[in-house]
Amino acid sequence: MEYLADNWPILFLIVVYITLCLYIGWWFKKKASEGVSEYYIAKREIPGWVISLAFFSTFISTNTYIGQAGQAFQAGLCWAWVGLFWTIFCMFSWLLLGPRMRKQTASLNSVTIPDYFDYRYKSTLSKVMRAFAAFVIIFATLWYMVGIAKGCAHLLDRVLNVPYAWGAFLVIFITCAYTVWGGMYSVLWTDAVQGLMMFFVAIIMVILPAMYVGGWGELMSNISYVTHVTKAGKPMGDGLVTFCSLVSFMYILGIGLAVGMKQIAEPRCLIRFYSVDNAKSMKFAMIATPVFLGVSLICVMGLGALVHGMATEKEAAFLVKHTDQVIGFMLAKFGNPWISGICLAGLFAAGMSSLASVMLIVGTAFIGDMWNLFRPMDQEQIVTRTKMTIVIYCAIVFLVTVFPPMGIVELTAFAGAVFASSFFPAIFGGLYLRWGTGHGAFWSMLIGMASCIIWRWGFRLNYAELKNIHEIIPSFVIALLVYVIISRMTQSKAPDKEHLDFVFGVSRV
Amino acid sequence: MDFLTALAYWGMAALVVINAIIVLRMKVDIGDRAEDTSDPT
């Protein structure tokens, strides 16, 4: 009873939020199950403002609001440079990929990213490429989902004393429920609600440290010089407000690229373009998405550094080694249950919006791009088996979440690097380069992924001088080179002119 | 905070504005009937 008395505002707000998400999922249950186009891409009938919020909320997750924000506790205010790179890639994604992708995928009748590779390249390797792309999605998504579930579970533990495993279970399976029910309709409309929440929560959160200490001037004065220590035990001094004093620019660049490039390569972001209903909506989303993203990142990316103003030396010494817990600490120390409730709901919104998107993508990848590819089935079976796949995958994610292998920021960055190096050359080449071939696309995917893994496990972890060169940098360059070289060498295997005219003739943007 | 640290924050704000200007001036075509045909100038 004492627990309820202490926490009822937080519990009330979270219950309201969860009920709304489940209601949306239930609302769309019948419509989403009508067919593959409905379940997988909401029949391309979603307005631009929903897509804009959905793109923003699916890209930004608890990995940002907890992981990245917390990382600034170690790295200082200059951690916002990561956000700057992300904003640049958001612009690239919408300006360069959005309209063209929507146009080509509609004309090719593509409903997933792997099937786009199949239909665009029309190669002897098409089916293999499609299945391999699906495999990459299933492999990389696991780590990403674990990272999000871990962040949410820590938050529930810190603020509401919910045991870690229980917290992970609730977050994963509540999201699973509304995703399975409503498919892409549910994912997009809950994303829109969650995006609005996340936007306002980012603004609220950045104000909290200043309110706690008594004003912005006081806060900036407090953090301009601190006796708090770094992870290595050295005093931070003015490091929090000095560019790259506490963290190397190469590390910032690595995370900035590895995560930021997900916006130009990761299926959960790119699939948003599929669902836009018309050109006016597309144009609206092209403006609005960077606004939502940019404003939120301005608020969130330096937040951890501001929390130093709220922490004692002992608290700071703990938090600098456990940056995933900085935001939970901030909310607990601010001590207002209504603010905590609103922010917690926003943080869960951040996590669940991303979880829902990737869950659906995994389901469509396994059934639509692997099973159905080699053993065709009717539409009803595709939809039903996609739902079953999502549930089973969530169970696996839960088990791995209980024993996570590494920190949230690194988990996300690694998954992002795999996508960016594997998929971007094939996507960009597909949209812009008539001479790009299926062979070039396939080998760039394979070698991109392999070089990512080899760099990380073979070089970066074993050679100190290479530690800060994130795997995204060499693997991306290698994958691009492979795409160009192999495509040029296999021009005889390119799709015929008629097909290319069809694909490119309708994609003059 | 120093100039380079502040640049990240101002930079994000500037990019958002620049992006909006670019998009407002461009013609967006996704192949549907309700195309945007606004004059790019």
Side-chain angles (χ1 to χ4, degrees), chain B:
Chain B
M1 66 181 93
D2 62 7
F3 171 74
L4 282 175
T5 302
L7 183 60
Y9 297 91
W10 288 111
M12 281 188 265
L15 282 173
V16 166
V17 172
I18 291 167
N19 177 74
I21 293 170
I22 291 172
V23 175
L24 283 169
R25 290 169 162 261
M26 70 189 278
K27 181 180 170 185
V28 174
D29 169 25
I30 62 168
D32 65 335
R33 277 193 227 158
E35 286 179 19
D36 175 84
T37 52
S38 54
D39 187 337
T41 59

Side-chain angles (χ1 to χ4, degrees), chain A residues 77-78 80-81 83-84 87-88 91 95 99-100 102-103 220 240-244 276-280 282-283 286-287 290-291 294-295 297-298 301-302 506 508-509, chain B residues 1-40:
Chain A
L77 288 172
C78 69
W81 273 85
L84 182 67
T87 307
I88 291 169
M91 284 175 59
L95 288 174
R100 233 172 232 254
R102 169 61 173 80
K103 197 167 184 177
M220 293 310 291
L240 292 171
V241 296
T242 306
F243 181 71
C244 290
V276 177
D277 56 357
N278 58 47
K280 278 188 166 47
M282 177 63 79
K283 194 159 181 169
M286 289 167 77
I287 295 173
V291 171
V295 171
L297 293 180
I298 287 170
M301 293 308 270
V506 295
R508 276 189 295 270
V509 175
Chain B
M1 66 181 93
D2 62 7
F3 171 74
L4 282 175
T5 302
L7 183 60
Y9 297 91
W10 288 111
M12 281 188 265
L15 282 173
V16 166
V17 172
I18 291 167
N19 177 74
I21 293 170
I22 291 172
V23 175
L24 283 169
R25 290 169 162 261
M26 70 189 278
K27 181 180 170 185
V28 174
D29 169 25
I30 62 168
D32 65 335
R33 277 193 227 158
E35 286 179 19
D36 175 84
T37 52
S38 54
D39 187 337

